[in-house]
Amino acid sequence: MTQTSILTTGLHEALHATICKAIEQANGWIGFDDFMALALYTPGLGYYASDSRKFGLMPAGVQGGGSDFVTAPELSPRFGQALARQVSQALQATHTTEIWEFGAGSGALALQLLEALGPQVGRYTIVDVSGSLRERQQALLVAHPGKVHWASELPAQMRGVVVGNEVLDAMPVKLLNRLNGVWHERGVALHQDRLTYADRVTDLRPPLEVVGSHDYVTEIHLQAEGFVRTLADRLQAGAIFLLDYGFPEHEYYHPQRSMGTVMCHRGHLADGDALADVGSKDITAHVNFTGIALAGQEAGLEVLGYTSQARFLINCGLLGGMEDATLAERAMVQKLVNEHEMGELFKVIGFAARNATVPPADTWAPLGFAAGDRSHTL
């Protein structure tokens, strides 16, 4: 066993012990959202709080690899360049000069936005809970000293454009299980020192009634919706653009989606066992964009639009200049927009802060939603 594998095993054992202690202190049961938070974010031990490489094109065993999954900015710099056109328009329309990026990952998107927008950005603030990712971001963004800043929490007031790519899906979710017609909250317990699922009868319900009486597992997104409400409370002027995989409510809680959407990612492979190898893989859930939209509206934000990633990026000029692109570059762009890749599963939702000192959103017609807006489907 190598020194690295010994260290990794030790970290996983320490994380397992931390989760076991939390379960014991909670009288033998914690909600799945609490488990997911511990698995991903326990300082120094959780998946996002450890030093493992997470973002990249290649899995372990491939030269230059070692990553678990790839996000759009790693696929092509054209992703960030297209998004920059929308961010530029929003900065101008809201008379702001700061970008706030949540969960900046490898820093690739930040670099693409900074290079595309240049002096239009006076300050770029990254909010990220991972110390190891912050080090990677700092190394990549070294050419922008004084402009890039890091924060672990939000200030009381913010101004600017907020960007979040694959942030909502990593926020802990509550699991609900309809079993024999009775709704339960699914949590995590211990059986002979092994993590196992355990259900408790609950008053919690999905936001839509799920047709039928068959057994049904699903998620509710209280933390993601709370995150949007917090942004609404703090954002004094500006706009928000969130990109992630998910569905509107009527698709999310479709009767046939009976196994839920929780998924794990490691080495560019997916599996559905969140309780196995905790700390060594990502745990995610698809986003209910209707719930996100309603949370924003109820908190005072204006919904700018909602559409597929493909339509949003094309509206923002993704395909411009593709005649000069190499075959490899074209292949990566196809991954961003093809329906069977990221183009349809990934969606984009935009919000604007309601502030009397800046023009209302309908006076500047956001570029990314100019064609193919699906807000009516939420």
Side-chain angles (χ1 to χ4, degrees), residues 290-321:
T290 301
I292 296 300
L294 290 174
Q297 277 190 327
E298 292 167 358
L301 296 173
E302 178 183 357
V303 175
L304 292 173
Y306 165 75
T307 192
S308 68
Q309 175 175 289
R311 175 50 59 188
F312 181 86
L313 294 177
I314 290 170
N315 287 342
C316 292
L318 175 73
L319 303 183

Side-chain angles (χ1 to χ4, degrees), residues 109-175:
L109 179 58
L111 182 63
Q112 292 161 16
L113 292 176
L114 285 164
E115 290 182 344
L117 294 169
Q120 190 176 0
V121 179
R123 182 183 176 97
Y124 196 110
T125 300
I126 292 174
V127 184
D128 207 313
V129 298
S130 172
S132 62
L133 286 176
R134 178 181 295 193
E135 292 176 1
R136 187 173 173 185
Q137 294 156 10
Q138 289 172 335
L140 186 65
L141 301 173
V142 68
H144 299 275
K147 182 174 285 191
V148 184
H149 303 265
W150 280 263
S152 56
E153 59 184 26
L154 291 180
Q157 295 185 344
M158 303 162 54
R159 296 174 62 87
V161 174
V162 175
V163 174
N165 181 56
E166 294 197 52
V167 171
L168 298 176
D169 68 82
M171 293 187 177
V173 295
K174 283 190 174 293
L175 278 185

Side-chain angles (χ1 to χ4, degrees), residues 284-354:
T284 74
H286 287 48
V287 177
N288 169 18
F289 278 100
T290 301
I292 296 300
L294 290 174
Q297 277 190 327
E298 292 167 358
L301 296 173
E302 178 183 357
V303 175
L304 292 173
Y306 165 75
T307 192
S308 68
Q309 175 175 289
R311 175 50 59 188
F312 181 86
L313 294 177
I314 290 170
N315 287 342
C316 292
L318 175 73
L319 303 183
M322 284 297 293
E323 62 274 7
D324 298 324
T326 66
L327 184 60
E329 289 172 333
R330 294 182 186 186
M332 291 304 179
V333 168
Q334 288 294 323
K335 289 181 178 292
L336 296 175
V337 298
N338 279 351
E339 286 190 6
H340 64 282
E341 297 277 1
M342 300 175 72
E344 179 57 34
L345 178 59
F346 280 71
K347 310 297 195 307
V348 186
I349 191 167
F351 296 100
R354 289 177 176 159

